[in-house]
Amino acid sequence: MLGVRATGAALMSVLLLTACSGGDDEPQAEPSPTSTSASPSATPTPSATPSSSSDLPASCAELGLDAGADAQGRALATCLDDALKQAGSGVEQVVGDDLSATIRFTWADDVAYAGEVQSSDGPIGLVVVPPTTWVDLGDTWAKSDPDGDENEMIAADIGGLVAPVADPGTVVDLVGGSKRWTVGARTEKVDQPDGTTVTAWPLESAPFTADGTSVKDAVLWLDDDTLAPVGMKATVTTDGTTTTVTRYFSQLGEPQTITPPQ
């Protein structure tokens, strides 16, 4: 069974990424007027319109992406959430300085996910079906419950660290924490961990601070057709500790089943 203290030390740097949501008190606003197609009624230029634009969620179609334009962070986060709800499921891979993870998820009003986080202390299996988290303790699965029996309390300690690392919803929170993202050329190629390459829109954020956490070198990649997330990379500093984490999204729309351990 993994020790809680050792596990926490291996995971804390990546957990810094989860502290960045909700950092701005900026009110919801319309997409930036610098985009040539920011208004839903405008006719986008060919370079700004994904080929499957008629299938886009309304929140994504209204972004009016065009190279050099700005997308407001909260509007972009809404688009990501809607695009992932439309896909319904997928696979997330997390690559960090001290760990990695492969996570299957289903995306609806609540995001359920399951998989394995690999840290320097070994693999940690978990299943999250809101509002409950289960953790593989090695010889048994235990439900997270801080007021439960010994195994359930251990699961609560470990799950409190591991579940945020694995949570695919972190990408939405981080994107919404920045005021705006600047759109790059719709030609960037993103190599996925599974060996595939995706053509994507790159969007970069200026450095920002949220909840005491400094974020820089943040780039988000959106599929050039669907505007669903392909990946996100960011370097985060909190309390003098800096880490870089990349999250990749693939197999969107492919069926995934997330069930509690028996």
Side-chain angles (χ1 to χ4, degrees):
M1 178 165 27
L2 294 174
V4 174
R5 182 173 299 176
T7 301
L11 297 175
M12 282 308 295
S13 62
V14 178
L15 280 171
L16 300 177
L17 276 175
T18 68
C20 304
S21 61
D24 293 308
D25 294 326
E26 177 183 351
Q28 188 70 34
E30 295 299 317
S32 168
T34 59
S35 171
T36 58
S37 56
S39 169
S41 62
T43 301
T45 62
S47 63
T49 307
S51 61
S52 57
S53 59
S54 62
D55 297 326
L56 294 179
S59 58
C60 295
E62 291 172 6
L63 289 177
L65 297 186
D66 198 5
D70 286 336
Q72 188 187 58
R74 292 189 178 181
L76 183 58
T78 298
C79 166
L80 294 185
D81 184 44
D82 290 344
L84 287 165
K85 281 181 180 176
Q86 182 167 289
S89 58
V91 173
E92 174 204 37
Q93 290 175 287
V94 183
V95 181
D97 296 337
D98 299 316
L99 55 78
S100 61
T102 299
I103 304 297
R104 299 176 294 105
F105 64 84
T106 58
W107 197 289
D109 291 335
D110 292 318
V111 181
Y113 53 98
E116 189 173 86
V117 176
Q118 180 71 48
S119 75
S120 58
D121 296 299
I124 306 169
L126 80 159
V127 175
V128 178
V129 180
T132 306
T133 297
W134 290 264
V135 175
D136 184 0
L137 299 182
D139 54 356
T140 186
W141 282 85
K143 181 175 68 174
S144 171
D145 185 350
D147 299 318
D149 62 27
E150 181 180 4
N151 280 346
E152 291 172 337
M153 288 190 288
I154 293 173
D157 288 337
I158 296 177
L161 293 170
V162 178
V165 172
D167 186 355
T170 297
V171 66
V172 175
D173 292 338
L174 183 63
V175 167
S178 173
K179 289 185 177 180
R180 58 186 51 84
W181 297 74
T182 300
V183 184
R186 183 186 167 192
T187 56
E188 187 156 329
K189 305 295 184 182
V190 179
D191 294 328
Q192 297 277 42
D194 63 4
T196 61
T197 300
V198 181
T199 302
W201 289 98
L203 294 90
E204 296 186 6
S205 171
F208 65 97
T209 299
D211 297 334
T213 297
S214 174
V215 182
K216 67 176 184 178
D217 300 328
V219 57
L220 170 72
W221 295 285
L222 301 181
D223 185 279
D224 70 330
D225 281 332
T226 65
L227 298 190
V230 172
M232 182 191 68
K233 182 177 182 179
T235 298
V236 179
T237 301
T238 294
D239 296 332
T241 300
T242 300
T243 188
T244 299
V245 175
T246 305
R247 295 175 181 270
Y248 297 96
F249 290 83
S250 62
Q251 302 179 45
L252 296 182
E254 296 188 12
Q256 303 291 341
T257 301
I258 312 299
T259 55
Q262 299 300 316

